[in-house]
Amino acid sequence: MAGAGAIAYSVASSAEASRHASQLSSRVQSVQTVGIIGQSGPRLADTDGLRQLVSSAAGLKFGPLPPASLVQGDPQWSADTMAGGTFVFIYAPDGKCLAAATRQGHPVLALSRCNLGAGQRWQRFNSAVAADGHLYGQYRNLGTGRCLAAGAAPTADPGPAALAPCAGAPATRQLISLWWAA
């Protein structure tokens, strides 16, 4: 009986996810070149803890933000605001989209060929927080329901960018800001 209920739930959930994915608009409302900035330290906008999302040989990570980039970040991303209020983030050096992928059964961040599906859609989650002239907020992936998160330690290399369960009261490492060139 419980197994049948789980199967019915799974089928219904898959149908709902498919219906939701097919309703995602492909119409771009605006495009902005940005740096995706996270915080690995315990305090928001602490310049020692600011990190920018970059692609490296080891994958996506929030790497150090050079002092020269403290005003606007290093705008390597296109933040496309889609009709319906979601975002698609495109990494300019290779034209691939920021996406949720699954590796060994766990959700991870990856760059993949853009398809505008739920795994490549991001939406602001919870309230935004203003700090040091920038607006920070959580960005939840529509495919996984998890939030983009920076590394956990304020070191030169805090580790890979992550998808983490979205915190109701956001942890500093889940507060992300889009810094654009003035």
Side-chain angles (χ1 to χ4, degrees), residues 9-144:
Y9 174 78
S10 176
V11 169
S13 295
S14 295
E16 178 62 27
S18 295
R19 191 167 41 257
H20 180 69
S22 68
Q23 294 174 354
L24 292 174
S25 174
S26 61
R27 188 168 51 92
V28 177
Q29 291 185 314
S30 68
V31 176
Q32 185 73 47
T33 302
V34 300
I36 299 178
I37 307 299
Q39 182 73 40
S40 64
R43 293 186 325 267
L44 190 59
D46 175 3
T47 57
D48 291 337
L50 290 174
R51 301 288 182 257
Q52 63 184 345
L53 185 59
V54 295
S55 180
S56 70
L60 289 165
K61 69 176 189 171
F62 278 91
L65 184 62
S69 298
L70 283 174
V71 174
Q72 64 189 27
D74 185 6
Q76 296 185 25
W77 296 86
S78 166
D80 294 8
T81 305
M82 308 301 288
T86 62
F87 295 88
V88 173
F89 298 117
I90 304 169
Y91 191 55
D94 65 12
K96 292 183 177 177
C97 285
L98 181 62
T102 303
R103 291 205 182 105
Q104 299 174 346
H106 300 287
V108 295
L109 284 171
L111 289 174
S112 64
R113 189 170 149 247
C114 297
N115 63 25
L116 304 182
Q120 294 179 353
R121 296 293 182 108
W122 302 86
Q123 69 183 163
R124 285 192 183 116
F125 181 70
N126 282 332
S127 299
V129 177
D132 201 25
H134 297 284
L135 197 59
Y136 292 81
Q138 289 170 287
Y139 286 86
R140 179 173 60 186
N141 181 269
L142 289 185
T144 65

